[in-house]
Amino acid sequence: MQNGLGSSTALDAAGGQGGSVGERSRAARSEREIVALVAGLDAILWQASATSSGDRRGTGVPQLRYTYVSPQAERLLGYSPSSWLADPEFWVRCLHVEDRARVLACYSTGIARAAGFRTEYRVLRRDGSVAYFRDTVAVERIGRGPERRLHGVLIDIADWRETEEALRESEERYRELVENINECVFALDEQGRITYISPVITEISGFEPAEVLNVHFADFVHPEDLGALRESFAQTLAGESRPLEYRVRKKSGEVRWVRSWSRLILRGDQVTGVRGVLVDITEKKLAEEALRESQARYEELFENANDMIYTFDPDGIITSANSAVEQVSGYRRSELIGMHISRLTAPEVWGVAEEMIRRKLGGAPTTYETILLTKDGRRVPVEVNSRAVIREGKPAEIQGIARDLTERKRTESLAAERNHLAGEVQVATALARAGRELMSCREAAPLLERLCAITTEVLNCDCAHALLYRAQDDAYTPVAGYGHSREELEAMRVISLPRALLGRLLQRLGSEGVAQVRLFEPQDLLPAAFPARFGATVALCFPLRRNAEILAILMACYRGRQDLFTPQQTDIARGLKHLASLAFENARLVGELERANRLKSDFMATMSHELRTPLNVIMGYNQMLLEGELGPLTREQNETAQRIQESAGELLRLINATLAVGRLETGKEPVVLEDTDLVALLQELRAETRELCREEGVHVSWRVPAALPSVRTDPLKLKVILKNLISNAIKFTPAGSVCISAETNEEWVELAVSDTGIGIPEDQRASIFEPFYQAKAAQGARGGGVGLGLYVVSRLVDMIGASLRLESQVGKGSVFRVRVKVGN
Ligand code: ADP
């Protein structure tokens, strides 16, 4: 069948028919060439005849009689060309069933109209697979009848189909991509109107794509960003495009940040618009903003921190420093960066600092105190807190915070000083109180009892006891205690510690003043049996001494605990030692004095009484003699009796005064306080001293205001005081004047007795108040005296709580002022 081509083929026309031998041979050659060409094509050439009769509307199945089918049919479809040629229905059967009706209709129409056509369809290969062919058919009318000749080329278009399919698919994929990606794809015309926008715009702007088509892009842009956007659009049109970030307004009015990239759409050289992609970057912008803010905050913190913040690399080179570092170190930042950290460290501590840096590089954060060396060579104490930042397993840098400790150090030392002072104050207060209490004790026994109580209290210990030295036994015996049970005290009293046993303790007390004894462990200061009796565990001992002699030992003890007495307590004990020694000595002296005084007073009272009675008898009889009741007296006898009477009178005054003093001394003159009208009191006094004031050569005047405040006092004693002063003033004013006056203010009334008499020398002003003292110059003064008047005055002034002042000038006179408090 292959050679069938030789006789009548569609190519006959090409090769030409008839002609010369040359022509024929040329034709034959060209036919061969054509056959070779055709055979190389992936196409089946065919030729068939058909008739259009009976199917004018082209709906029936055309009857084709194949006259030629090129051999590629075998290769492309697996059928031999003879199959076509033998069976007019063969080809119809080969058509894919889905394409069959369409293809046949196409053929019918083409045959009926005698018009060429082109159709594509699937053909079933012999092996059952599907082949794609494009059938290009030329239809030739044969004569005027329904006869037609058809020439066709079946080209395998499987590859094209695939390409097309791939193209379609890729287009679809692209569209899908465009429409589904988060980025919004858009196209604008050269005016800037939206010609395409992918649906994601709805998410970004709230507008449907249809709503924004043909709307100018600028309508959605935030007015503040329009300028930049216009510029960018112009740049894009000029062929230069850069991404731009700007704000767009949503349908809801909300503002979003977007970023877009765009490029020109060109048709040939013509710019037809701009295509671009737009992304919502609001979240990113917000995050960036937050980051910027936090960075700014961090920078501000870093910069304004009171503490020094800095970093340096593992080689010690400073890489950053805040302004606090500049301030403290005195270096400018430009000097600090690149400087070695050791230059900021005092050389004497660099060794330690270096060790710390080594540790940090090992990963351990460190805190330590060191000394910063400033630019001008000052040393600043700092506390450093730093750590190494590890990147990729290696220390990348060291971050440090350093705090200037100058202020803290100052406060610390101030606080220490304050504490020390507070301690001192505590000690002093405790001692002052102890001193007051102890000094008021006038007897040794109660003093020691009191001392034990005070010691326990101010040393805040559990108990204290006092051991008194008794010379007759040459031993120390407990005589007083505080904080013990009655039984313990009783048991203690019968103990006697021979001085020889306390040798070491006494020696220690002599040299150090106090001794702390740990009774809970072996010691050689105290006989163990003694403290054990009352459970003492620690004792702080101090002596009561007179010169080198230790009169008593005081022991302050803890019971059942092993705390030691603190240095502060020891200080208090040392103070107590001095105070108690003084008080003890004082009590001893006062005791002695009081005893002597009492003896004297008793003596005076007795003697005065014993003397006054017989003296009164003597004076009584002498008076009778003088008055002549026992018979007339001679002139001489009368003069003698007169002298007897005067001397006896003097003696009686002395005895009376002595008695009065005795009563004062023995406390037999109680103070009776009354609300006293001083004006009235002075009037009475004036009347009572009328006699006294008639003394020759002395003018007595009274200068008393019409009203004086009432005072609470003992009026009798006040009168005695004033009387004594008036009598002295007259007595010691041979010629001149005496004035009794009163003055007052809100607090006191002052009663003054002044004279223009002999005055009192400076060196005797204290002595005249002592009993039986009389100034030399005063001797032989008028009226005589016994030297007790001023003593009585001063005692009475004390008793009524008044005060007495004396001003005097020898030869000019004296003023005695008694001041009584108002409302006393
Ligand atoms: P007396 O008056 O009994 O001597 P006083 O105790 O009253 O004893 O006085 C003691 C001494 O003080 C007097 O002896 C006298 O020397 C001196 N004295 C007292 N009052 C005055 C006075 N107004 N002017 C000068 N000397 C005085």
Side-chain angles (χ1 to χ4, degrees):
M1 185 65 211
Q2 270 107 327
N3 56 357
L5 189 64
S7 54
S8 64
T9 73
L11 301 173
D12 284 354
Q17 276 180 338
S20 64
V21 175
E23 280 177 330
R24 257 204 305 280
S25 73
R26 240 189 347 267
R29 199 171 60 241
S30 81
E31 191 181 310
R32 271 200 309 280
E33 280 170 3
I34 287 170
V35 168
L37 180 71
V38 165
L41 282 174
D42 269 346
I44 302 167
L45 279 72
W46 58 269
Q47 205 171 45
S49 58
T51 172
S52 69
S53 61
D55 191 7
R56 286 185 188 278
R57 287 183 318 241
T59 52
V61 178
Q63 287 291 314
L64 289 178
R65 273 179 299 104
Y66 283 91
T67 52
Y68 174 74
V69 172
S70 69
Q72 289 93 319
E74 183 84 58
R75 181 160 57 85
L76 294 175
L77 291 171
Y79 306 117
S80 70
S82 55
S83 312
W84 260 269
L85 302 176
D87 180 0
E89 293 293 311
F90 172 75
W91 166 76
V92 177
R93 283 202 305 275
C94 288
L95 288 176
H96 191 286
V97 72
E98 284 173 16
D99 298 342
R100 196 176 287 162
R102 177 177 57 83
V103 175
L104 293 179
C106 221
Y107 265 83
S108 300
T109 314
I111 291 165
R113 298 192 188 149
F117 60 89
R118 187 155 71 182
T119 179
E120 284 165 13
Y121 50 82
R122 287 163 287 179
V123 179
L124 289 175
R125 287 202 189 88
R126 188 173 183 168
D127 61 9
S129 63
V130 176
Y132 284 88
F133 281 98
R134 173 174 295 153
D135 201 359
T136 309
V137 184
V139 183
E140 194 184 342
R141 211 185 271 277
I142 308 239
R144 290 173 181 270
E147 290 301 313
R148 305 283 190 263
R149 181 173 294 160
L150 281 69
H151 310 277
V153 186
L154 272 169
I155 297 170
D156 186 343
I157 57 165
D159 286 352
W160 297 357
R161 289 278 315 191
E162 266 168 30
T163 316
E164 224 169 75
E165 193 75 1
L167 199 65
R168 201 172 42 78
E169 259 175 35
S170 100
E171 226 172 53
E172 228 161 64
R173 255 204 312 275
Y174 174 68
R175 176 166 288 272
E176 204 176 55
L177 201 68
V178 161
E179 314 229 309
N180 288 311
I181 50 171
N182 284 330
E183 285 79 3
C184 174
V185 177
F186 64 89
L188 310 177
D189 64 14
E190 70 272 33
Q191 307 296 321
R193 284 185 301 246
I194 298 167
T195 52
Y196 170 79
I197 196 143
S198 63
V200 78
I201 192 64
T202 314
E203 242 169 75
I204 297 175
S205 71
F207 291 105
E208 293 294 330
E211 286 180 277
V212 301
L213 270 188
N214 291 321
V215 178
H216 201 281
F217 198 66
D219 289 358
F220 304 101
V221 176
H222 193 283
E224 282 173 24
D225 297 336
L226 266 178
L229 190 77
R230 284 219 178 87
E231 205 172 291
S232 156
F233 188 67
Q235 270 174 353
T236 307
L237 289 181
E240 197 188 303
S241 69
R242 238 179 268 128
L244 182 73
E245 290 179 2
Y246 51 94
R247 286 161 290 177
V248 295
R249 263 198 312 254
K250 284 182 72 165
K251 196 172 181 178
S252 63
E254 190 192 325
V255 173
R256 305 287 293 178
W257 273 97
V258 297
R259 179 183 169 94
S260 74
W261 300 259
S262 45
R263 51 193 304 180
L264 292 182
I265 309 172
L266 293 170
R267 188 156 297 152
D269 288 343
Q270 180 97 24
V271 174
T272 59
V274 166
R275 221 190 323 262
V277 180
L278 183 132
V279 196
D280 185 339
I281 55 160
T282 310
E283 303 310 324
K284 190 181 117 216
K285 271 276 183 199
L286 290 179
E288 270 174 13
E289 189 65 21
L291 189 72
R292 223 185 349 262
E293 262 175 36
S294 90
Q295 207 149 347
R297 249 200 320 270
Y298 165 75
E299 264 160 32
E300 204 178 280
L301 263 175
F302 173 79
E303 212 32 51
N304 299 333
N306 287 330
D307 291 338
M308 292 171 266
I309 306 177
Y310 55 90
T311 55
F312 56 89
D313 67 17
D315 295 329
I317 302 299
I318 298 172
T319 47
S320 72
N322 69 348
S323 58
V325 181
E326 286 184 307
Q327 274 160 25
V328 177
S329 72
Y331 287 107
R332 267 173 293 119
R333 201 164 317 200
S334 52
E335 297 174 285
L336 286 165
I337 309 285
M339 181 189 276
H340 196 271
I341 191 77
S342 62
R343 277 185 62 196
L344 280 183
T345 315
E348 65 269 25
V349 293
W350 171 242
V352 181
E354 216 180 2
E355 170 58 27
M356 289 298 165
I357 294 172
R358 244 197 305 282
R359 266 193 228 170
K360 269 177 282 213
L361 289 172
T366 52
T367 303
Y368 59 98
E369 284 186 18
T370 185
I371 300 168
L372 182 143
L373 188 66
T374 66
K375 190 175 181 180
D376 55 12
R378 280 176 304 110
R379 284 167 159 70
V380 179
V382 291
E383 184 188 70
V384 171
N385 188 313
S386 59
R387 65 182 197 102
V389 177
I390 308 289
R391 282 189 201 115
E392 291 160 9
K394 268 187 284 173
E397 67 171 12
I398 287 164
Q399 295 177 339
I401 298 179
R403 177 165 293 182
D404 183 347
L405 293 183
T406 314
E407 199 52 40
R408 198 206 283 177
K409 292 266 178 211
R410 214 193 339 260
T411 342
E412 271 170 11
S413 76
L414 267 178
E417 209 167 292
R418 226 185 349 252
N419 275 346
H420 180 70
L421 274 177
E424 302 261 281
V425 166
Q426 247 166 19
V427 172
T429 316
L431 288 179
R433 240 198 49 226
R436 264 199 310 278
E437 290 210 25
L438 293 178
M439 286 306 175
S440 65
C441 285
R442 301 221 162 157
E443 282 170 59
L447 175 93
L448 290 178
E449 292 286 355
R450 202 69 216 111
L451 179 60
C452 290
I454 291 172
T455 303
T456 311
E457 195 184 322
V458 298
L459 291 184
N460 199 15
C461 59
D462 299 321
C463 60
H465 44 266
L467 295 95
L468 190 66
Y469 178 67
R470 283 194 211 283
Q472 62 265 39
D473 311 330
D474 195 21
Y476 287 86
T477 312
V479 290
Y482 183 84
H484 303 90
S485 70
R486 230 202 229 292
E487 290 75 29
E488 278 172 341
L489 278 177
E490 286 311 312
M492 232 156 59
R493 279 187 205 286
V494 299
I495 298 171
S496 170
L497 301 175
R499 196 156 59 114
L501 262 184
L502 299 175
R504 296 250 317 127
L505 178 69
L506 293 171
Q507 197 185 346
R508 175 82 67 86
L509 292 179
S511 62
E512 289 173 27
V514 295
Q516 176 142 222
V517 191
R518 300 150 179 255
L519 299 161
F520 55 84
E521 55 187 34
Q523 46 81 32
D524 57 357
L525 294 176
L526 275 175
F530 170 59
R533 287 210 181 178
F534 47 95
T537 41
V538 178
L540 187 65
C541 306
F542 61 88
L544 267 62
R545 43 203 295 187
R546 182 168 55 210
N547 304 325
E549 205 183 331
I550 295 183
L551 303 176
I553 301 169
L554 212 107
M555 290 186 191
C557 302
Y558 283 138
R559 271 207 257 224
R561 47 178 167 155
Q562 301 191 349
D563 317 7
L564 292 183
F565 285 89
T566 63
Q568 198 190 43
Q569 286 172 309
T570 314
D571 279 353
I572 296 178
R574 256 181 242 281
L576 280 175
K577 178 193 73 177
H578 290 300
L579 282 172
S581 298
L582 253 172
F584 197 61
E585 180 66 1
N586 204 26
R588 201 178 59 87
L589 291 177
V590 166
E592 276 173 16
L593 202 69
E594 275 181 346
R595 236 181 346 267
N597 224 19
R598 220 171 12 250
L599 280 175
K600 185 193 78 188
S601 299
D602 289 352
F603 169 77
M604 283 208 304
T606 322
M607 289 316 282
S608 300
H609 190 257
E610 297 306 312
L611 284 174
R612 198 161 57 163
T613 316
L615 192 59
N616 272 326
V617 175
I618 291 169
M619 286 181 78
Y621 282 112
N622 201 42
Q623 190 64 34
M624 283 165 73
L625 274 178
L626 278 172
E627 285 171 3
E629 287 182 24
L630 301 177
L633 297 180
T634 64
R635 203 172 54 90
E636 213 168 308
Q637 284 171 330
N638 192 40
E639 272 174 19
T640 307
Q642 200 75 40
R643 271 201 301 278
I644 291 172
Q645 197 67 6
E646 272 172 26
S647 295
E650 191 134 318
L651 194 58
L652 186 63
R653 270 204 309 281
L654 174 70
I655 292 168
N656 280 342
T658 310
L659 265 178
V661 170
R663 276 204 304 279
L664 279 181
E665 303 262 289
T666 49
K668 284 180 188 150
E669 284 286 340
V671 176
V672 182
L673 295 177
E674 281 170 28
D675 289 326
T676 309
D677 176 357
L678 287 178
V679 177
L681 183 137
L682 288 171
Q683 262 163 10
E684 283 166 31
L685 191 66
R686 191 173 181 171
E688 284 167 27
T689 54
R690 192 157 291 140
E691 272 307 303
L692 195 68
C693 296
R694 281 214 190 106
E695 204 59 53
E696 219 176 297
V698 183
H699 175 253
V700 180
S701 62
W702 295 75
R703 232 177 283 152
V704 179
L708 282 173
S710 142
V711 294
R712 192 157 177 80
T713 187
D714 183 328
L716 288 179
K717 291 196 171 58
L718 186 57
K719 248 195 222 171
V720 172
I721 293 169
L722 292 170
K723 244 187 222 171
N724 277 354
L725 293 176
I726 295 168
S727 108
N728 274 355
I730 292 170
K731 200 156 58 178
F732 297 108
T733 306
S737 60
V738 169
C739 178
I740 300 104
S741 60
E743 255 181 60
T744 183
N745 71 5
E746 275 159 24
E747 291 174 27
W748 42 254
V749 179
E750 193 173 82
L751 305 164
V753 179
S754 52
D755 63 63
T756 57
I758 60 169
I760 304 156
E762 175 103 50
D763 60 344
Q764 293 176 21
R765 280 183 207 159
S767 314
I768 55 170
F769 294 98
E770 287 169 12
F772 306 110
Y773 184 88
Q774 287 181 303
K776 279 214 176 77
Q779 280 160 14
R782 74 163 68 105
V786 293
L788 282 172
L790 285 184
Y791 173 65
V792 170
V793 165
S794 71
R795 290 298 310 270
L796 291 177
V797 162
D798 279 348
M799 284 168 82
I800 65 170
S803 67
L804 180 68
R805 264 189 311 137
L806 163 63
E807 292 153 28
S808 184
Q809 235 180 322
V810 175
K812 293 243 167 108
S814 314
V815 191
F816 287 84
R817 298 176 196 276
V818 179
R819 198 176 268 195
V820 191
K821 272 195 213 141
V822 169
N824 240 10

